[in-house]
Amino acid sequence: MNETIPQLSSYDEPSLDAAFATLAAEVHTESSAPHDAEAFRLRWLGRKQGRLKLISDAWLKSAPAEARKPLGIRFNQLKQQIEAALADASASPSASAAKAGIDITLPGTVRSPGVEHPLVKTINEIVAVFHHLGYSTALGPQVESDFYNFEALNFPPNHPARDTQDTLVVAGQNDRPQRDRLLMRTHTSPVQIRTMIAQAPPVRIVVPGKVHRNDAADATHSPVFHQVEGLCVDTNITFSDLKGTLDHAMKALFGSAVKTRFFPSFFPFTEPSADVQISCIFCAGKGCRKCKQSGWIELLGCGMVDPAVFASVTAERRKINPADDAYNPERITGFAFGMGVERIAMIQHGISDIGHFYSGDLRFLEQFS
Ligand code: DAH
């Protein structure tokens, strides 16, 4: 603060210009070098000891009357230059960072980029196989009505097939008709119905999604899990199309050496129905612990769409267009399939406990990055 006050030898215009140019240059130099903005403000604009105040006091006191006005104008300009320099300084990021106590010269925090969860990865792989065959993705709600989850899929009320798909129901709906009561969907199959009501054949969709069942959690079961559903409906769709499509899909997912075989099974919404097994990818079919010495691993359910399903769809479509005949089973056939994503991911990666998928344990998840 004990700056010397420059002296003025003369008050003519050129001398004033030269003196103020020197001051302006000082302001410029001080404000463009790294500096503490508050100290700079005090040094120039401090009310008692600021340079502007000291210099103007000194120069105005000894100024002849006619020099006061040009001096005043120049002091005003100088003040504006100082204020502009201050405004620039506080707008600069390094200055505001310094004020906030941030040292911008330190190296930044390294954030690891996120990666797909292994289940998402497997879903995307399955879906991609079918996208290449011309299927598109369809989605549906997890809170579903009894009609879409069961009835339209040919599980009548009280049918024993419902027992295998016990689930959580939404409370307080006993006064609604059964078909409208809400529950957590037990499979992705209701999206078959929603899609067919909304669109006429040809239909080729895959439906990834979360499903819910009253199953106790153990190493291979979880009350919430994931499925990918498939539906193909058109003229002339046969069981050999189903076999060819799924055989191709299994080879695409597990490698071209994999074999498939189809066993008779039962699902209310397909007739005939089948379970699909693949040759064990761990022992190439020789028999090991993973395949319980059988050489085969059961992977999914499938079948030809039951005409009763087309009948439910037609009844709904006729509420909008009474003449609708798009899903006449004399002309239209189809196949459907459904697979569990966790099971496929566990086989792909040799994971023995389904709980790892939901644990959020980075030591598990980082292995898929
Ligand atoms: N929805 C069946 C389940 O969750 C799986 C399934 C089997 C889906 C056969 C299908 C199918 O589309 O045709 O157990």
Side-chain angles (χ1 to χ4, degrees):
M1 282 291 163
N2 294 325
E3 296 287 334
T4 48
I5 303 303
Q7 295 302 314
L8 268 189
S9 48
S10 159
Y11 285 88
D12 58 36
E13 294 266 337
S15 309
L16 291 183
D17 284 343
F20 278 91
T22 310
L23 291 175
E26 276 180 48
V27 167
H28 178 76
T29 318
E30 289 180 26
S31 65
S32 35
H35 67 286
D36 175 346
E38 180 56 13
F40 174 78
R41 191 189 66 77
L42 272 176
R43 170 168 152 76
W44 284 95
L45 299 179
R47 249 190 310 148
K48 293 199 177 126
Q49 294 296 316
R51 294 203 88 206
L52 192 65
K53 161 99 168 79
L54 297 179
I55 297 170
S56 64
D57 283 356
W59 290 0
L60 282 166
K61 202 164 65 191
S62 47
E66 69 278 7
R68 288 179 173 260
K69 192 169 173 199
L71 259 178
I73 292 171
R74 284 174 173 77
F75 276 120
N76 267 334
Q77 284 171 346
L78 180 62
K79 188 169 179 211
Q80 281 167 13
Q81 286 163 348
I82 297 167
E83 283 168 347
L86 269 169
D88 278 357
S90 60
S92 92
S94 58
S96 45
K99 214 179 216 164
I102 299 167
D103 180 351
I104 61 162
T105 64
L106 287 174
T109 311
V110 179
R111 288 175 206 280
S112 31
V115 295
E116 283 169 340
H117 187 279
L119 290 176
V120 172
K121 210 165 161 174
T122 295
I123 287 175
N124 288 341
E125 282 170 24
I126 299 169
V127 159
V129 168
F130 289 95
H131 283 181
H132 284 117
L133 296 174
Y135 286 61
S136 38
T137 294
L139 300 173
Q142 286 180 58
V143 180
E144 190 51 285
S145 73
D146 187 279
F147 176 75
Y148 289 111
N149 195 79
F150 289 126
E151 204 171 324
L153 288 163
N154 199 28
F155 294 75
N158 303 316
H159 191 281
R162 289 188 176 214
D163 293 352
T164 62
Q165 303 203 6
D166 188 16
T167 183
L168 287 172
V169 299
V170 176
Q173 303 181 89
N174 286 345
D175 45 354
R176 304 178 80 177
Q178 169 137 5
R179 64 169 269 153
D180 296 335
R181 291 185 201 162
L182 298 176
L183 42 81
M184 302 308 292
R185 70 177 177 194
T186 58
H187 49 179
T188 42
S189 307
V191 186
Q192 292 188 24
I193 306 297
R194 289 180 172 275
T195 304
M196 288 190 280
I197 290 174
Q199 107 185 37
V203 171
R204 281 175 182 78
I205 51 161
V206 267
V207 184
K210 200 168 278 186
V211 302
H212 304 251
R213 291 201 193 168
N214 180 13
D215 282 345
D218 63 21
T220 55
H221 293 85
S222 159
V224 181
F225 62 105
H226 299 80
Q227 291 185 331
V228 176
E229 186 87 11
L231 176 67
C232 168
V233 181
D234 205 340
T235 50
N236 299 315
I237 301 293
T238 66
F239 199 87
S240 37
D241 295 315
L242 167 61
K243 287 187 78 172
T245 301
L246 289 180
D247 186 71
H248 165 78
M250 294 304 117
K251 286 178 163 64
L253 284 173
F254 295 104
S256 54
V258 147
K259 295 193 195 102
T260 53
R261 63 180 190 178
F262 290 67
F263 275 81
S265 183
F266 173 79
F267 301 100
F269 42 92
T270 45
E271 182 60 32
S273 305
D275 284 328
V276 181
Q277 300 181 344
I278 60 167
S279 51
C280 180
I281 61 163
F282 300 105
C283 61
K286 288 189 200 61
C288 68
R289 237 162 49 103
K290 300 265 189 195
C291 61
K292 302 199 182 90
Q293 309 305 329
S294 72
W296 295 90
I297 293 178
E298 191 165 311
L299 219 50
L300 68 147
C302 64
M304 301 305 292
V305 178
D306 194 307
V309 171
F310 289 142
S312 311
V313 167
T314 298
E316 291 306 301
R317 291 174 62 93
R318 285 190 179 162
K319 290 179 184 171
I320 295 154
N321 171 12
D324 181 78
D325 199 34
Y327 287 90
N328 182 342
E330 300 291 322
R331 242 178 344 101
I332 295 293
T333 52
F335 65 75
F337 55 86
M339 54 189 105
V341 175
E342 278 79 350
R343 190 165 158 71
I344 291 178
M346 287 168 82
I347 293 168
Q348 281 179 322
H349 304 296
I351 297 165
S352 54
D353 188 338
I354 199 171
H356 287 307
F357 290 126
Y358 319 116
S359 66
D361 187 337
L362 285 179
R363 292 168 302 176
F364 171 75
L365 295 172
E366 277 170 355
Q367 297 178 63
F368 303 93
S369 65

